Amino acid sequence: MRHFLFDIIFTIACLIAAAWWGYSHSGIAGLFSALAITAILAVMEISLSFDNAVVNASILKGWNDFWKKIFLTLGILVAVFGMRLIFPIVIVAVTAKLGFVEVIQLALNNPAQYAEHLNAHHAEISAFGGMFLLLVFLTFIFGDKEVHWFDWFERKLTRFSKVDAMSTFVAIVVLMISLSWVDEAKESAILIAGIWGILVYLGVNVLSSLLEGSSGAEDDDEVLTDAQGNVITNTAGVSTTILKGGIAGFIYLEVLDASFSFDGVIGAFAITNDVIIIMLGLAIGAMFVRSMTLFLVDKGTLNEFVYLEHGAHYAIGALAIIMLLSMKFHVPELVTGLIGVAFIGLSLFNSIQYRKRQAQQ
């Protein structure tokens, strides 16, 4: 309960704010409507981002207390206000060539037009986020892991772990293929956005490697352990610096969270155009995702359920493909959420079976 106490208080505060906002615009009917939509958005954000919490936990469990606190304080501010409120405004300001204040006024006074500007660049946003998430998945799936979920399939792919830039090669091929189903007029913009997604992922890893190299040789033989003293394994493709926590690790998790939030922010406009309600609903979801991350770390859940991290990465891979497909086709958020839940649920079920087999030996 202690992991989620602040989230419950925050949720109550957000629901009160949503009720006041709805009542001030449409009376009693607006009050109940605002409460219902805020709750729906919060649930949607949590369901779409549970796999994000699992992946975050797989990295955060090796961090020291200082960087965990940074993740929970500054990281929350970036996630809640930066990605759910400020970033969509920046996108509209840049693409529509409007002033920042002008876009804020547009969002508050003419939300339909604001949503139209944001949705007009859905393809570019999906290309950026989709390529970043695809690289997260590919780096994991091509990595050398001690535990395999789909044993035959993953062992075959592990053979490519010795091939440099295999993940980047596959990601670029997928990006080129995805250009075949987008409008010709948008091809160049989508290509640039997708390349930026790849560059940001590679840039974070370059920064991580540089910081790792400057940390000194004394860290070379350090064994990473979690809060329970278990040796951290199954972290294919993630550098030591990111695992230990630091600037590169913090940036990595924030960009990862941003890539997840793109889909949630865009999808929220299918439910309502009210940016205040959207921010409140998604903020509630973001807070719970952060707390779920810490809960998974503190309880050692990833060590107890060995396939959970696999399921989260497969869900990320599915989300990446869905984001790329959404550049041309409409994919309901319900479908996206159910696919993620299916992978997580299956990985939990298989993890329980694995534990039973191990106990019988």
Side-chain angles (χ1 to χ4, degrees):
M1 185 67 182
R2 64 182 178 86
H3 289 90
F4 301 99
L5 179 59
F6 180 78
D7 302 321
I8 295 172
I9 296 172
F10 182 79
T11 298
I12 294 172
C14 287
L15 290 176
I16 291 174
W20 174 83
W21 180 259
Y23 180 78
S24 64
H25 284 74
S26 304
I28 295 296
L31 182 152
F32 287 107
S33 175
L35 284 174
I37 294 174
T38 301
I40 291 171
L41 290 173
V43 173
M44 182 187 76
E45 179 72 2
I46 294 171
S47 63
L48 288 174
S49 299
F50 183 76
D51 42 3
N52 186 16
V54 175
V55 175
N56 285 351
S58 69
I59 297 171
L60 195 66
K61 65 183 179 181
W63 286 19
N64 57 41
D65 290 338
F66 172 78
W67 282 105
K68 285 181 181 179
K69 290 177 181 177
I70 293 294
F71 176 75
L72 289 173
T73 52
L74 181 60
I76 285 178
L77 291 176
V78 173
V80 172
F81 297 102
M83 296 315 306
R84 272 73 178 181
L85 178 63
I86 297 176
F87 185 74
I89 291 175
V90 170
I91 290 177
V92 174
V94 172
T95 56
K97 297 180 180 179
L98 299 173
F100 192 77
V101 176
E102 189 177 356
V103 175
I104 294 176
Q105 293 175 343
L106 182 68
L108 294 175
N109 301 321
N110 194 345
Q113 188 177 350
Y114 171 80
E116 185 179 340
H117 280 299
L118 190 60
N119 282 309
H121 298 278
H122 170 72
E124 295 95 308
I125 296 171
S126 295
F128 177 90
M131 295 314 299
F132 184 90
L133 292 178
L134 183 62
L135 275 171
V136 172
F137 167 71
L138 291 174
T139 302
F140 176 83
I141 205 67
F142 286 129
D144 188 10
K145 299 177 287 296
E146 293 186 7
V147 178
H148 297 278
W149 186 18
F150 301 115
D151 193 70
W152 180 87
F153 174 68
E154 292 184 7
R155 287 189 186 278
K156 290 290 185 183
L157 292 180
T158 301
R159 295 164 53 189
F160 294 101
S161 62
K162 298 179 177 62
V163 180
D164 293 336
M166 188 66 189
S167 299
T168 307
F169 171 75
V170 174
I172 293 175
V173 170
V174 172
L175 177 60
M176 293 298 104
I177 293 174
S178 67
L179 291 177
S180 64
W181 60 67
V182 300
D183 295 334
E184 187 176 348
K186 281 196 168 187
E187 279 187 4
S188 60
I190 290 171
L191 177 61
I192 292 172
I195 290 175
W196 269 112
I198 295 172
L199 286 176
V200 169
Y201 181 87
L202 295 177
V204 172
N205 281 276
V206 168
L207 176 61
S208 175
S209 297
L210 291 174
L211 292 174
E212 182 181 349
S214 64
S215 63
E218 65 275 7
D219 292 335
D220 291 345
D221 298 324
E222 182 176 346
V223 177
L224 295 176
T225 58
D226 61 16
Q228 285 72 39
N230 301 306
V231 176
I232 295 174
T233 58
N234 201 21
T235 51
V238 183
S239 78
T240 305
T241 302
I242 286 180
L243 285 172
K244 292 177 183 176
I247 297 173
F250 179 76
I251 293 174
Y252 179 85
L253 288 187
E254 291 307 316
V255 176
L256 182 64
D257 180 73
S259 300
F260 275 91
S261 69
F262 292 151
D263 192 55
V265 171
I266 297 296
F269 280 98
I271 299 174
T272 179
N273 286 330
D274 193 321
V275 292
I276 300 298
I277 297 300
I278 288 175
M279 187 197 72
L280 292 172
L282 297 185
I284 293 172
M287 292 293 291
F288 272 97
V289 169
R290 279 296 194 278
S291 295
M292 282 192 293
T293 298
L294 272 191
F295 178 82
L296 293 172
V297 172
D298 292 344
K299 297 299 181 181
T301 306
L302 297 184
N303 293 307
E304 187 176 354
F305 300 99
V306 294
Y307 299 131
L308 186 57
E309 188 177 351
H310 292 72
H313 277 90
Y314 277 98
I316 286 175
L319 176 59
I321 297 302
I322 288 173
M323 290 183 75
L324 295 175
L325 288 173
S326 70
M327 295 188 298
K328 179 65 175 179
F329 311 100
H330 173 67
V331 181
E333 283 69 33
L334 179 62
V335 173
T336 305
L338 288 177
I339 290 176
V341 169
F343 275 118
I344 296 294
L346 182 60
S347 66
L348 282 171
F349 176 74
N350 290 154
S351 296
I352 294 172
Q353 289 184 317
Y354 176 84
R355 288 173 57 194
K356 289 180 178 178
R357 289 196 302 268
Q358 292 296 107
Q360 292 172 357
Q361 293 179 358

